[in-house]
Amino acid sequence: MSKEIIVNRTFEETRVAILEDDRLSDFFIERRETEKLLNNIYKGKVQNIVSGLDSSFIDIGFGKSAYLGISDVIAQKNEKKIENMLKVGQDIMVQIYKEPISTKGPKVTMDISLPGRFLVYMPFSKRIGVSKQIEDEQEHNRLKNIVKKLKTDLAGGIIIRTEAEDASEEEIKKEMKYLARLWASIINRFNNSKSCTCVHKDLGIVFQTIRDHFSEDVKIMHIDSQKELDDVIDFVRTVSPELEDKIILYDGKQPIFRAYGIEEEIKRLRSNKARLKSGGYLIIQEAESLCAIDVNSGKFVGSNNTQEEVGTITNIEAAQEVARQLRLRNIGGIIVIDFIDMKREKNRKKVLEALKGATKKDKAKIKIWPITHLGLIEMTRERKRESLFSLLGDTCPTCHGLGLVLSKESIFISVCQEIEQMKIENYFGKIKIKLHPDVEQYFKQRIKRLKELCKKEIELIPSDEISREDYNIILEQ
């Protein structure tokens, strides 16, 4: 598989795209005015303790109070009441694990974790874990033994990441030393900082992509900014010097995202429809904490295929595309997928396995339940920050997020009802109706019916100041 990382840096935002076989597989965006908070560490002050909810609210200087649940409090093992773990006014170290979404503030934990390229260091844990993606038992044991051997002077727990597969003992040792120094500097800043301040910022989106995705299987990393390129090379020389030659400055005439066809792909992500190569398509309806995805066969009928076979083929392709769309759109929470109905149990299993296989490369935590007889699959995907749809768009001021506005016919009927209720039999002046221009043409075509209703002269006034669903009826003397 050919893999490329494309970086577009402008004054207001930084965008990173990952292509697999020339197809967009991951997309990340960081904007100047929407500062990234995820994984940042703060010296917070306990603002309020809610015993009934086993939770507390922490002031981190953000504006909205951060939520800290009892399961995320580091305290004595035998203590079970949050009011005995924390005190109002107490300074504590917390890390954001879920960014603010909509009206909700960020969620924080006292169980700090510091990710590196190969390892995640957890100062308040004791366990050594290995990524489930490392399936080779021999490699699993080799890495675990290396960490146990090197960890003698380092308090805390270690999770060995997927990227550590085939890493040398020297590379792991180097990273453990780096994480130990980083933790020491965070403690020092915490001790010498004021309350409600940030004591550690996580890597920006480009460096985070290098840490999590830039490896030997990447063919090229193309960057369109000389300054960003210089910063990236400095960073890569520290973490993976053998990959430096793969970083290249883009100097083409076309903007980099347009040259790679990524700009068009991003436009398609704003639609609620995602097309499948077979001719089928997905309809993606995203709400605040629930996403419904409907699979349709569309134009695909197959050649000499039964309805069951067409449904199965479309569903397997849809399962792979669903996994891709969830990553690209950064959709989290509860997800319900309505696949095309399949009668055979073996076909339902094929679709379920296809979805599980396609979501393996997703770095967010995912849980998938078995497919039902109605063809539904329920799954959850970890939500750490707002979705791409929420980031790129605002709620429509006309439909207020419903996706529908009143039809022209409904507005016409509403106007007729209001005129009837006004009882204007004894009124001898002209009636003016102020409307949105989009609706005025519909009324023009039915002006005779309006005149018949009120038996008066009627003037239609188009106005951009009126919203599409509103109107003003003016009685002129």
Side-chain angles (χ1 to χ4, degrees):
M1 181 183 291
S2 172
K3 193 173 178 181
E4 298 168 276
I5 298 176
I6 314 301
V7 179
N8 169 228
R9 175 71 185 268
T10 63
F11 185 72
E12 287 294 333
E13 72 176 1
T14 301
R15 300 184 297 176
V16 180
I18 299 176
L19 305 179
E20 292 181 355
D21 292 334
D22 297 323
R23 193 164 184 239
L24 188 64
S25 66
D26 281 287
F27 176 62
F28 311 105
I29 185 167
E30 190 172 70
R31 289 181 167 173
R32 217 172 151 187
E33 290 195 14
T34 51
E35 184 186 4
K36 177 181 167 289
L37 301 173
L38 193 67
N39 292 329
N40 287 357
I41 299 173
Y42 294 81
K43 184 174 184 175
K45 186 182 284 290
V46 179
Q47 202 172 31
N48 190 19
I49 295 173
V50 186
S51 304
L53 297 176
D54 279 336
S55 60
S56 63
F57 291 91
I58 314 298
D59 184 0
I60 59 172
F62 174 67
K64 292 177 182 176
S65 295
Y67 176 85
L68 176 68
I70 191 169
S71 60
D72 289 307
V73 177
I74 300 293
Q76 294 179 0
K77 288 184 179 179
N78 298 329
E79 190 52 67
K80 294 182 180 179
K81 293 185 177 180
I82 195 165
E83 59 267 31
N84 295 333
M85 299 177 180
L86 301 170
K87 301 296 178 189
V88 173
Q90 178 184 351
D91 286 333
I92 58 172
M93 186 188 292
V94 291
Q95 183 175 34
I96 292 180
Y97 70 86
K98 189 174 182 180
E99 289 194 348
I101 297 172
S102 187
T103 58
K104 299 173 184 175
K107 288 187 176 181
V108 295
T109 179
M110 291 173 70
D111 192 8
I112 308 297
S113 62
L114 301 173
R117 182 172 180 78
F118 304 123
L119 312 170
V120 178
Y121 175 49
M122 298 175 296
F124 301 112
S125 176
K126 290 182 180 177
R127 74 187 189 96
I128 297 174
V130 183
S131 167
K132 291 178 182 177
Q133 301 295 329
I134 300 176
E135 295 175 349
D136 185 278
E137 190 176 348
Q138 192 174 345
E139 179 65 4
H140 179 286
N141 293 333
R142 182 187 77 88
L143 291 169
K144 198 165 187 177
N145 289 333
I146 289 174
V147 170
K148 280 181 179 178
K149 174 185 167 185
L150 298 174
K151 192 184 162 297
T152 51
D153 298 327
L154 183 63
I158 295 281
I159 298 293
I160 300 166
R161 304 184 69 186
T162 309
E163 287 76 6
E165 195 165 12
D166 299 324
S168 68
E169 182 175 331
E170 187 57 37
E171 287 175 316
I172 292 172
K173 183 179 180 180
K174 186 178 177 182
E175 182 152 294
M176 285 179 76
K177 283 184 176 179
Y178 160 73
L179 293 172
R181 288 197 304 269
L182 177 60
W183 176 236
S185 69
I186 290 170
I187 291 174
N188 184 56
R189 282 196 293 273
F190 178 85
N191 292 333
N192 294 289
S193 297
K194 295 179 181 178
S195 297
C196 314
T197 55
C198 181
V199 295
H200 170 71
K201 283 193 174 185
D202 193 30
L203 296 173
I205 200 71
V206 177
F207 295 149
Q208 195 174 312
T209 303
I210 292 168
R211 183 187 70 198
D212 297 342
H213 299 274
F214 194 37
S215 55
E216 287 292 344
D217 62 341
V218 174
K219 184 176 75 174
I220 190 174
M221 185 176 191
H222 236 152
I223 304 174
D224 65 354
S225 160
Q226 183 66 57
K227 183 183 182 306
E228 191 70 38
L229 180 105
D230 294 339
D231 291 343
V232 164
I233 287 176
D234 285 343
F235 182 73
V236 169
R237 278 175 183 162
T238 304
V239 296
S240 302
E242 71 281 2
L243 301 176
E244 184 184 335
D245 292 343
K246 296 188 176 190
I247 305 165
I248 297 173
L249 179 69
Y250 174 79
D251 57 0
K253 292 182 179 178
Q254 270 192 316
I256 190 167
F257 268 32
R258 194 171 296 167
Y260 276 91
I262 300 167
E263 212 68 74
E264 285 301 313
E265 186 78 43
I266 294 169
K267 283 182 183 177
R268 286 194 285 272
L269 291 176
R270 291 172 55 197
S271 169
N272 69 342
K273 182 181 280 191
R275 298 197 177 276
L276 305 175
K277 287 182 181 179
S278 64
Y281 59 91
L282 309 176
I283 296 293
I284 303 168
Q285 297 289 349
E286 187 185 341
E288 187 170 333
S289 58
L290 176 71
C291 178
I293 301 176
D294 186 31
V295 180
N296 295 275
S297 58
K299 297 176 182 178
F300 178 58
V301 292
S303 53
N304 301 319
N305 293 108
T306 64
Q307 187 175 347
E308 176 84 5
E309 289 168 336
V310 168
T312 305
I313 293 168
T314 305
N315 283 340
I316 290 172
E317 186 186 359
Q320 294 164 346
E321 184 62 22
V322 164
R324 175 174 172 265
Q325 290 292 327
L326 293 179
R327 289 199 316 274
L328 291 176
R329 296 170 186 249
N330 195 27
I331 294 172
I334 300 167
I335 298 149
V336 179
I337 311 164
D338 184 8
F339 285 101
I340 298 167
D341 188 37
M342 298 167 291
K343 294 179 180 177
R344 294 179 185 171
E345 180 63 26
K346 69 172 186 178
N347 290 334
R348 289 199 285 267
K349 282 183 178 178
K350 281 182 186 177
V351 173
L352 183 62
E353 290 307 312
L355 182 62
K356 285 181 176 178
T359 55
K360 273 188 176 180
K361 63 172 70 174
D362 198 325
K363 293 188 179 294
K365 292 176 185 173
I366 287 176
K367 188 171 182 180
I368 302 173
W369 278 266
I371 193 167
T372 69
H373 287 287
L374 294 174
L376 298 175
I377 284 185
E378 296 174 16
M379 62 180 287
T380 58
R381 183 176 185 269
E382 182 182 28
R383 182 200 290 271
K384 290 188 173 181
R385 58 172 71 97
E386 64 181 348
S387 70
L388 181 69
F389 187 81
S390 301
L391 180 65
L392 295 181
D394 286 328
T395 301
C396 172
T398 303
C399 74
H400 305 290
L402 292 174
L404 291 169
V405 291
L406 277 177
S407 67
K408 296 169 187 175
E409 182 184 22
S410 296
I411 297 169
F412 183 79
I413 291 170
S414 182
V415 168
C416 291
Q417 288 173 342
E418 192 165 327
I419 288 174
E420 282 185 284
Q421 291 165 7
M422 290 169 73
K423 297 179 181 178
I424 53 174
E425 294 86 359
N426 298 322
Y427 170 72
F428 299 101
K430 183 188 277 189
I431 297 175
K432 293 182 178 180
I433 304 174
K434 194 180 272 191
L435 302 154
H436 188 276
D438 186 41
V439 181
E440 185 231 0
Q441 188 61 34
Y442 184 90
F443 274 64
K444 261 186 181 178
Q445 294 166 356
R446 290 154 184 80
I447 193 75
K448 287 183 180 179
R449 281 156 60 180
L450 282 171
K451 288 179 179 178
E452 184 184 339
L453 171 69
C454 59
K455 297 179 175 55
K456 302 280 187 296
E457 281 299 312
I458 290 178
E459 182 183 349
L460 301 177
I461 305 171
S463 173
D464 288 319
E465 295 176 2
I466 300 278
S467 73
R468 192 188 177 282
E469 292 188 353
D470 287 338
Y471 56 84
N472 287 333
I473 299 174
I474 304 165
L475 302 180
E476 194 174 73
Q477 297 294 335

